[in-house]
Amino acid sequence: MKSDYIQTTTCQERRKDPIEMFHSGQLVKVAPMVRYSKLSFRTLVRKYDCDLCYTPMIVAADFVRSAKARDSEFTTNQGDCPLIVQFAANDARLLSDAARIVCPYANGIDINCGCPQRWALAEGYGACLINKPELVRDMVKQVRNQVENPRFSVSIKIRIHDDLTRTVDLCRKAEATGVSWITVHGRTVEERHQPVHYEAIKIIKESMSIPIVANGDIRSLKEAENVWHTTGTDGVMVARGLLANPAMFAGYEETPLKCIWDWVDIALELGTPYMCFHQHLMYMMEKITSRQEKRIFNALSSTSAVLDYLTDHYG
């Protein structure tokens, strides 16, 4: 695992405890992305009022078995906190081994029980776990038994069932096993672009005593605050909205120019691969460029070409 000053950043020294944040009565603003929330992007959104960051989803089995996977999948540094490492897992022992590896460098782990992608479902990861409450319970219990730090959080991210009583039952079983909080994406596994069932998230929140985080189709700070008030949850998690506007949580309606240049500085400083560097800029500039400008910008193939373009167009 590559990191800067990682030896001085054990989780006991981390400045903010996520569990305390969720009990503060304030809106906790959370940023995950299955593929995109690498260290450089986490660094950017933290500058713009994101309270808690998740890593991209990491397959626990690969992470445990391969040093190469650990080096490529998990990078952190001293300012990267509080941090949750999200794992795809279907084996309690492998998950607990992965949790022990990241424990000194993170505040907790999250078990992804919500990813609806076909590959994840085929491997027994992601959203299929909402139909396996006993397996979820075993994974949580094993991590709790293996990780000595009592402040290390174990959370889950789920989708809802058509029959909401099944979701409430799953959440109660997870709570009884010692889950720290639950993030609820307010759609079923089959739903993609249908409206989010915020009323279902509210019912789940009212049924639980641990913190609940609402997730799904939040694209501005105002929407985040509305969902927070409507559902009574303890935080909101945003994915696509932050890709398009990493400054969203700071109240910006679209990506400000300063945020774009902040991304350039952070990406260059941390050695972000070109494809990732360019892809994030394409998302950020979606609303502020014309169709013709997009064609030109999206075809650029080097960091120097991107820097020249930005300097010529945005000074």
Side-chain angles (χ1 to χ4, degrees), residues 26-126:
Q26 303 297 310
L27 169 62
V28 180
K29 302 183 283 288
V30 187
M33 264 128 304
V34 168
R35 292 178 301 280
Y36 291 108
S37 51
K38 297 275 193 179
L39 173 61
S40 49
F41 192 68
R42 297 195 301 267
T43 304
L44 179 66
V45 294
R46 289 186 197 281
K47 281 179 73 84
Y48 290 90
D49 292 357
C50 181
D51 299 313
L52 178 62
C53 286
Y54 282 44
T55 68
M57 184 174 72
I58 299 168
V59 176
D62 296 342
F63 190 78
V64 169
R65 292 169 183 153
S66 163
K68 185 177 179 183
R70 290 193 287 278
D71 285 343
S72 65
E73 296 293 329
F74 182 56
T75 308
T76 188
N77 63 19
Q78 203 163 23
D80 188 28
C81 60
L83 177 65
I84 304 300
V85 182
Q86 187 176 78
F87 284 112
N90 58 15
D91 180 289
R93 184 183 59 79
L94 285 171
L95 178 65
S96 65
D97 288 347
R100 280 192 301 176
I101 292 169
V102 300
C103 179
Y105 316 117
N107 296 79
I109 66 152
D110 184 81
I111 308 167
N112 188 312
C113 306
C115 178
Q117 294 181 60
R118 283 200 191 114
W119 75 266
L121 300 179
E123 294 287 341
Y125 303 139

Side-chain angles (χ1 to χ4, degrees), residues 171-225:
C171 292
R172 284 179 174 156
K173 284 176 177 170
E175 179 179 22
T177 314
V179 158
S180 307
W181 68 83
I182 299 172
T183 301
V184 183
H185 181 89
R187 290 189 177 99
T188 66
V189 178
E190 292 76 27
E191 291 176 324
R192 291 294 186 273
H193 305 292
Q194 292 88 334
V196 177
H197 304 287
Y198 293 118
E199 185 61 32
I201 300 176
K202 181 181 181 185
I203 290 167
I204 292 166
K205 171 59 187 171
E206 289 169 350
S207 307
M208 310 296 294
S209 56
I210 56 172
I212 301 294
V213 178
N215 173 234
D217 275 7
I218 297 166
R219 298 185 183 275
S220 70
L221 179 60
K222 188 173 181 182
E223 282 182 16
E225 290 170 340

Side-chain angles (χ1 to χ4, degrees), residues 27 44 56 73 96 105 138 155 203 230 234 241 269 272 286 307:
L27 169 62
L44 179 66
E73 296 293 329
S96 65
Y105 316 117
D138 290 347
S155 56
I203 290 167
T230 301
D234 305 278
E269 182 184 344
T272 304
E286 176 74 24
L307 295 178

Side-chain angles (χ1 to χ4, degrees), residues 241-313:
L242 277 172
L243 278 180
N245 178 10
M248 189 196 100
F249 281 145
Y252 292 92
E253 291 298 315
E254 58 185 35
T255 310
L257 203 51
K258 183 181 185 310
C259 182
I260 290 171
W261 284 112
D262 282 342
W263 169 246
V264 170
D265 291 342
I266 290 165
L268 294 179
E269 182 184 344
L270 293 177
T272 304
Y274 175 74
M275 280 189 68
C276 177
F277 169 65
H278 189 214
Q279 186 78 51
H280 276 295
L281 285 170
M282 286 194 278
Y283 281 123
M284 287 182 216
M285 295 165 63
E286 176 74 24
K287 287 185 178 176
I288 60 173
T289 49
S290 67
R291 189 176 295 178
Q292 173 64 16
E293 287 171 331
K294 279 188 189 66
R295 267 202 298 271
I296 295 167
F297 184 80
N298 294 358
L300 299 176
S301 58
S302 70
T303 300
S304 58
V306 168
L307 295 178
D308 288 344
Y309 181 95
L310 292 175
T311 302
D312 289 346
H313 288 75

